[in-house]
Amino acid sequence: MLSFSSAMIKNIVGKMQRYTHRIKNYIRKALFYISMIPLLVMVGALFFQVIAREFRLHVDWTEELSRFSFISMVFFAAAYSTLHNGHLRISFLSDVIGNRYGPKPLRIVRSVILIGFTAVIAWFSHLNVLDGIRYPNISPAIGFNQNLLFITMFIGFVLILLYHIIDVFTILFGGGENND
């Protein structure tokens, strides 16, 4: 029969906290850098479009590319913003739960609500990707299946989902008071 001392349990929980903190930081950094790529593509395409207009070149594809890049950037940047608590919050819920029960239950409730919401959005964006493969909506200038843009939505919301699952674990097993 296995027996665990309190020192062993504290050691295991401490290691898990360090790993969850690392994973959360990797998710943050990944979303930060992933958000920059579509922004750079969008700015580059629009810059090229302005220059091409001056030389009377027809570059219709730059408008579509900048639009697709903008849509991708919005999904990734929204996920990054959520990880930094930059999303909208319902102050009534926060005030009632926070004042009555303290910050820890508030963070658990908030994370559980966000887990449910992001799981639903991730699931339906996954279904939209599958539908987009079956029934493509091709853009006229680039020839890109526009429904595949839901992949960016899926990736962004899956990362939010993972982050909040780790957050609930961190809150329940220690380290839940800081709002990293």
Side-chain angles (χ1 to χ4, degrees), residues 75 78-79 117-119 121-122 125 152-162:
F75 288 128
F117 175 75
T118 56
I121 297 297
S125 62
T152 61
M153 185 177 184
F154 175 73
I155 292 170
F157 278 96
V158 164
L159 288 173
I160 295 171
L161 180 65
L162 291 173

Side-chain angles (χ1 to χ4, degrees), residues 125-141:
S125 62
H126 162 261
L127 293 178
N128 281 333
V129 170
L130 294 179
D131 283 346
I133 292 169
R134 271 189 240 123
Y135 311 107
N137 180 14
I138 305 299
S139 67

Side-chain angles (χ1 to χ4, degrees), residues 52-111:
R53 268 192 218 148
E54 290 299 318
F55 294 106
R56 301 191 190 288
L57 299 173
H58 298 286
V59 287
D60 299 334
W61 58 269
T62 56
E63 188 274 328
E64 282 186 6
L65 182 62
S66 64
R67 182 171 19 115
F68 299 154
S69 298
F70 178 71
I71 291 168
S72 299
M73 181 193 63
V74 165
F75 288 128
F76 290 132
Y80 181 76
S81 176
T82 300
L83 300 183
H84 287 283
N85 295 323
H87 54 284
L88 294 174
R89 71 180 186 104
I90 302 170
S91 61
F92 172 75
L93 181 66
S94 299
D95 294 343
V96 168
I97 294 174
N99 291 338
R100 181 173 254 181
Y101 300 107
K104 189 173 180 177
L106 173 64
R107 284 189 61 204
I108 292 172
V109 168
R110 185 193 70 198
S111 291

Side-chain angles (χ1 to χ4, degrees), residues 1 6-7 9 13-14 22 35-36 61 79 82 87 97 130 140 149-150 155 164 172:
M1 183 163 149
S6 62
I9 292 173
V13 170
R22 283 184 192 165
S35 298
M36 288 179 11
W61 58 269
T82 300
H87 54 284
I97 294 174
L130 294 179
L149 287 173
F150 284 105
I155 292 170
H164 285 293
L172 292 176

